[in-house]
Amino acid sequence: MLTSKLFFGFSLLLLGCFYFENPIPQNHYIVATDTNKDKAVVQHQTPGKEIYTDFCIQCHGVNGKGDNKNFPPLDGSDWLTKRRVQSIHAIKFGQSGEIVVNKKKFNSSMPAMGLSNQEVADVMNYIMKSWSNKQNKIVTEKEVAAIKE
């Protein structure tokens, strides 16, 4: 993560040397453009995807389905939607002990990742809008900061 943060910081420094008439929206990066068709298609990605890739993908998988044995699914997870505060707490401080996700018991532990409040909010927003998840209420840095151990 440190390497990617350093690379990202250096990239931003280089980009800062240029003037952009239409700046990229805050917390979004341009991922790809497709000019094979009549008009360009621009896709945006939130910083939460990079955080998910660095910290979560090893256990919860590329598709957010977990392993259905030790690691619960994030895709279609009723625990994420019904237990918002506990979900944020788990990412911020780690999780151990039994939880029930989609009527199935999981009893493993997730270590604290050492993420900032903004990073926790970013990864939560990515998870809650990915795969079959369609949450509209975003998690804010302020909401994460209010959750104490």
Side-chain angles (χ1 to χ4, degrees):
M1 180 71 181
L2 177 61
T3 304
S4 43
K5 282 187 176 182
L6 288 172
F7 180 75
F8 179 69
F10 181 72
S11 299
L12 285 178
L13 176 69
L14 288 176
L15 287 173
C17 295
F18 301 101
Y19 173 77
F20 290 98
E21 190 170 320
N22 294 320
I24 299 170
Q26 185 178 4
N27 290 333
H28 288 78
Y29 311 105
I30 294 178
V31 176
T33 58
D34 180 10
T35 55
N36 293 336
K37 298 188 178 185
D38 291 340
K39 48 185 174 174
V41 176
V42 179
Q43 298 173 338
H44 294 277
Q45 139 186 343
T46 64
K49 183 173 184 177
E50 181 182 348
I51 297 165
Y52 183 85
T53 301
D54 289 347
F55 291 96
C56 313
I57 206 168
Q58 298 86 347
C59 298
H60 296 286
V62 174
N63 58 7
K65 301 244 184 249
D67 70 356
N68 215 17
K69 183 179 178 186
N70 297 309
F71 308 111
L74 301 175
D75 178 26
S77 169
D78 63 351
W79 201 73
L80 281 173
T81 56
K82 294 178 182 175
R83 297 178 179 261
R84 181 180 175 100
V85 171
Q86 291 91 338
S87 296
I88 296 168
H89 187 277
I91 294 173
K92 187 174 179 178
F93 299 111
Q95 169 72 37
S96 63
E98 187 176 280
I99 62 171
V100 178
V101 179
N102 300 340
K103 300 179 183 175
K104 183 170 180 173
K105 292 180 183 179
F106 293 88
N107 193 3
S108 58
S109 94
M110 182 175 91
M113 305 296 171
L115 300 173
S116 70
N117 291 334
Q118 185 61 57
E119 289 171 324
V120 172
D122 289 342
V123 77
M124 275 295 294
N125 289 322
Y126 171 75
I127 291 167
M128 294 171 76
K129 290 184 178 277
S130 294
W131 315 296
S132 67
N133 300 333
K134 304 294 180 224
Q135 290 286 327
N136 290 325
K137 183 179 176 191
I138 66 164
V139 177
T140 64
E141 181 179 11
K142 185 176 178 180
E143 180 181 6
V144 174
I147 297 174
K148 305 297 180 199
E149 199 166 8

